[in-house]
Amino acid sequence: MTQDASATAAKKLFIKTYGCQMNVYDSQRMAEAMASEGYELTEDQSQADMVLLNTCHIREKAAEKLYSDLGRLKPLKAERPDLKIGVAGCVAQAEGEEIVRRMPLVDLVVGPQTYHRLPAMLRGEAPAILTEFPPEDKFDHLPERRATRRAPAAFLTVQEGCDKFCAFCVVPYTRGAEVSRPVDRILREARDLVARGVREITLLGQNVNGWHGEGEGGEWGFGRLIRALAEIDGLDRIRYTTSHPNDMADDLIEAHRDIPQLMPYLHLPVQSGSDRILKAMNRKHTADQYLRLIDRIKTARPDILLTSDFIVGFPGETDQDHADTLRLIEQVGFGTAFSFKYSPRPGTPAYDRPEVDGAVADARLQELQALLNRQQKAAQQSMLGRTLGVLFEKPGREPGQMVGKSDYLHSVFVEAPEAQIGDLVQVRIVESAPNSLRGELVG
Ligand code: SAH
Ligand code: SF4
Ligand code: F3S
């Protein structure tokens, strides 16, 4: 079967990924599923036999990117009518056949829970538009993760979907209900990745720290899962994203204290520092509860670097609410953060609420980002003179240079002509640039 596939020239698959890391992971799994159909990845869209756009619906701009990209594909499709165009991901889930109505050049539409059926869809053995939430688990129907060469740092989805229904967010609708993958599958996939040269795994989920499962001795929480992963020989670094503050259980905080492989970095979105807005967002915690949680985490792991997400201009946000958010940022001190102007999303509870004036929201966003930028700079400065682990992921911009991630997830450029991708080295940080650090090999 493999021989047949190599005897005929391999077909080329071009994938463009928008949105979050879970989409990056899904794109890899789709590429692996398509490999069994004789497709190999290409970086050159003009050479592709199939173009797959793995989309994001989180903000209006993210969703609109799909349509501008599809518009740009029209001449290629006109030139080569047998080119297949597929739309996957969260816009596929949210808009379904509307996509084909608006853009008839699209051949396939597949949601995030049905992409294991892509090969069948291509063969015409499954409908061309598949966006249901099927009873079977897609991971049971995808090929084992052997098809592609491995980089030293990999993603592993352990949890999907969301039951939290924040008033602004499409994820519960596009990804469906919260589901945790079983312990044995996760451990098997992690071991498989490590056997292929992976040294760092980032566990993924929309509410990754809400993961739970049946393990040895009974019900496991996410902290217990991390302990089990830390026992895998050769797995040097563990990270996870994205977490909800209400799911930061004690066993997870203790894992940050006890497990050296668990990196001192935590992305913990808070969205706002105003209790009134947090309530309107349906976040189910107050600013003070978040601050007390941060205190407990810092007690467990004093050097932890915290990052977050903020939404500015949520309906009803006043100057005072905005000031409360700035104050929370001052109190925590973030390593970096993503901040977005609120974007009303069809089908979410906040969609019809009166919007904050656009110019006011823009000004607040600028002010908030200026503060976060100062904190990012300060966090990077605090690394100067320190010796940190860096896992080399690729060559740097200059000859003889490598670039990798520090324990705190900063990109670090290092002069290391002898080094290989996948080396985990000790580096002294000597310089801070706008979005990266520079370091020197130690020893
Ligand atoms: N599960 C994660 C977030 C997933 S979405 C969590 O609970 O934090 C990633 C980020 O996009 C969110 O944290 C939020 O800051 C932002 N976001 C989500 N919906 C948005 C909207 N309608 N407008 C602007 N930003 C939004
Ligand atoms: Fe969206 Fe809230 Fe769920 Fe995060 S917790 S995915 S922001 S609904
Ligand atoms: Fe976007 Fe879907 Fe991820 S909406 S952020 S791709 S879960």
Side-chain angles (χ1 to χ4, degrees):
M1 148 92 202
T2 357
Q3 261 173 1
D4 285 348
S6 57
T8 57
K11 286 173 276 180
K12 304 277 188 221
L13 171 65
F14 176 87
I15 304 187
K16 179 164 177 183
T17 307
Y18 319 68
C20 62
Q21 288 109 322
M22 300 201 62
N23 262 13
V24 174
Y25 176 85
D26 289 340
S27 289
Q28 289 169 355
R29 300 296 307 247
M30 286 192 272
E32 289 163 8
M34 296 289 286
S36 61
E37 294 297 296
Y39 280 86
E40 63 181 37
L41 284 177
T42 176
E43 307 262 300
D44 180 357
Q45 183 171 280
S46 68
Q47 295 300 310
D49 299 285
M50 175 164 185
V51 171
L52 188 58
L53 304 172
N54 193 12
T55 58
C56 175
H57 201 245
I58 203 79
R59 285 168 291 275
E60 192 181 355
K61 268 195 196 133
E64 280 306 313
K65 263 189 214 151
L66 166 67
Y67 292 102
S68 54
D69 282 348
L70 285 173
R72 275 199 289 274
L73 277 169
K74 276 183 187 161
L76 197 62
K77 179 87 170 182
E79 206 180 288
R80 293 178 24 217
D82 55 350
L83 170 72
K84 293 257 181 283
I85 297 181
V87 176
C90 291
V91 182
Q93 189 63 45
E95 296 187 359
E97 58 193 38
E98 177 60 28
I99 296 174
V100 182
R101 217 169 296 136
R102 207 168 141 185
M103 286 287 182
L105 82 172
V106 173
D107 300 289
L108 303 171
V109 177
V110 65
Q113 300 308 340
T114 30
Y115 64 72
H116 57 295
R117 303 195 62 198
L118 254 182
M121 293 168 80
L122 262 180
R123 292 194 298 264
E125 293 163 11
I129 301 176
L130 265 184
T131 55
E132 82 267 33
F133 292 108
E136 80 264 20
D137 178 355
K138 66 171 177 270
F139 295 114
D140 290 342
H141 298 268
L142 285 164
E144 295 261 313
R145 304 206 59 196
R146 291 164 198 278
T148 46
R149 197 172 57 84
R150 291 275 152 238
F155 290 139
L156 200 175
T157 293
V158 301
Q159 180 278 328
E160 289 198 284
C162 183
D163 297 338
K164 298 241 176 350
F165 293 93
C166 299
F168 49 80
C169 184
V170 295
V171 171
Y173 314 99
T174 62
R175 293 273 172 165
E178 265 182 60
V179 179
S180 294
R181 289 180 70 193
V183 171
D184 57 333
R185 311 286 163 74
I186 295 168
L187 292 178
R188 200 198 313 151
E189 188 168 331
R191 284 195 203 99
D192 198 42
L193 289 169
V194 171
R196 258 141 261 285
V198 168
R199 304 183 69 170
E200 170 179 317
I201 292 181
T202 302
L203 306 170
L204 298 180
Q206 269 88 18
N207 268 299
V208 72
N209 58 340
W211 179 94
H212 55 93
E214 206 51 50
E216 222 180 278
E219 178 80 1
W220 284 15
F222 189 55
R224 181 70 189 81
L225 178 68
I226 288 175
R227 282 175 200 269
L229 286 162
E231 281 166 25
I232 298 176
D233 231 15
L235 181 56
D236 298 303
R237 292 171 142 193
I238 300 170
R239 304 181 189 276
Y240 60 93
T241 199
T242 294
S243 296
H244 192 286
N246 292 1
D247 288 328
M248 279 312 289
D250 290 344
D251 76 330
L252 178 54
I253 298 179
E254 284 157 17
H256 275 285
R257 181 191 64 200
D258 300 338
I259 311 281
Q261 294 94 325
L262 184 58
M263 291 291 104
Y265 178 97
L266 175 62
H267 183 63
L268 197 60
V270 62
Q271 315 297 356
S272 168
S274 151
D275 289 346
R276 236 172 44 79
I277 294 299
L278 285 168
K279 190 153 201 282
M281 286 176 164
N282 194 31
R283 290 292 289 184
K284 298 201 174 77
H285 62 77
T286 62
D288 190 54
Q289 282 165 337
Y290 184 83
L291 291 170
R292 276 188 280 139
L293 175 61
I294 298 292
D295 276 347
R296 284 171 54 222
I297 296 166
K298 282 189 171 167
T299 305
R301 183 77 209 224
D303 67 332
I304 201 158
L305 191 73
L306 294 155
T307 68
S308 198
D309 291 346
F310 293 91
I311 294 178
V312 169
F314 187 76
E317 187 187 72
T318 62
D319 285 342
Q320 182 57 51
D321 296 319
H322 175 61
D324 289 347
T325 302
L326 297 178
R327 200 183 57 221
L328 177 134
I329 296 173
E330 297 274 15
Q331 278 169 293
V332 177
F334 290 102
T336 177
F338 298 107
S339 48
F340 314 94
K341 186 160 124 178
Y342 169 68
S343 166
R345 305 305 291 131
T348 59
Y351 182 60
D352 290 325
R353 298 184 196 166
E355 282 182 55
V356 167
D357 177 81
V360 170
D362 283 333
R364 287 181 190 161
L365 185 63
Q366 272 194 16
E367 190 182 8
L368 182 133
Q369 288 182 338
L371 173 58
L372 289 167
N373 286 342
R374 288 198 295 279
Q375 292 194 341
Q376 177 175 340
K377 208 168 163 193
Q380 289 191 195
Q381 293 281 339
S382 76
M383 300 292 158
L384 292 177
R386 291 185 60 185
T387 298
L388 307 174
V390 174
L391 177 62
F392 286 145
E393 291 182 18
K394 54 184 183 201
R397 289 180 280 247
E398 290 153 26
Q401 203 183 44
M402 284 289 220
V403 58
K405 294 281 168 26
S406 78
D407 302 348
Y408 303 96
L409 209 59
H410 288 124
S411 286
V412 185
F413 288 81
V414 185
E415 190 68 27
E418 314 278 291
Q420 307 275 325
I421 289 172
D423 287 354
L424 180 56
V425 295
Q426 291 294 302
V427 169
R428 197 177 47 254
I429 306 301
V430 295
E431 195 183 313
S432 170
N435 281 303
S436 64
L437 300 170
R438 201 169 63 75
E440 287 167 356
L441 287 175
V442 171

